[in-house]
Amino acid sequence: MADCVFCKISAGEIPSKKVYEDDKVLAFYDLDPQAPVHVLIIPKEHIASADELTEENSGVVSHIFLVAARLAKELGLKNGYRIVNNCGEDGGQTVKHLHFHLLGGRSMKWPPG
Ligand code: 5GP
Ligand code: ZN
């Protein structure tokens, strides 16, 4: 997707602080961290949101959760963490490329605002 910020990050056209990469996904630090650890994990394939997942493209989501759990260990989130997906306008999604926030290093509130 030509105008997608996360596609550009994935292609290396916009710099990012990468923490993990394989053929399917990329993980990098959020530009505006909301917790001591705030990593975004994205599929390299452009999927606009969780609402665009299908039987064909959704396998990457389980892979992202496995990567998140591995990163949480590597980044020292021994006390727990939160994985967040914002979907659509009411969900607070600002970048229209599927991504999961891995947040940790502080205690989180519930319910979210
Ligand atoms: P959303 O609100 O869509 O769930 O989350 C988008 C996230 O992407 C925000 O937390 C925002 O700080 C982050 N973000 C937006 N543009 C960039 C960028 O160019 N680089 C990085 N590293 N993060 C970005
Ligand atoms: Zn994209």
Side-chain angles (χ1 to χ4, degrees):
M1 281 283 283
D3 277 340
C4 173
V5 174
F6 287 178
C7 280
K8 285 184 177 161
I9 286 177
S10 171
E13 291 163 17
I14 294 176
S16 68
K17 203 175 156 199
K18 288 179 193 173
V19 276
Y20 176 79
E21 182 170 16
D22 62 27
D23 57 327
K24 294 193 266 311
V25 304
L26 176 67
F28 53 96
Y29 285 100
D30 197 293
L31 212 53
D32 182 21
Q34 302 302 313
V37 173
H38 187 171
V39 169
L40 299 172
I41 310 170
I42 67 168
K44 288 189 167 177
E45 177 190 358
H46 180 86
I47 301 169
S49 77
D51 208 39
E52 302 291 317
L53 287 165
T54 64
E55 291 290 341
E56 287 69 38
N57 69 14
S58 60
V60 72
V61 175
S62 59
H63 182 58
I64 284 173
F65 271 71
L66 290 173
V67 167
R70 204 185 306 143
L71 286 178
K73 275 192 195 70
E74 285 174 16
L75 297 171
L77 304 180
K78 292 193 183 77
N79 216 32
Y81 51 89
R82 184 171 287 182
I83 298 170
V84 172
N85 170 254
N86 297 324
C87 181
E89 203 178 329
D90 280 1
Q93 183 180 6
T94 59
V95 177
K96 306 223 168 4
H97 178 128
L98 180 67
H99 54 281
F100 292 82
H101 300 253
L102 170 64
L103 297 144
R106 68 168 170 83
S107 129
M108 307 281 163
K109 291 186 174 51
W110 189 263

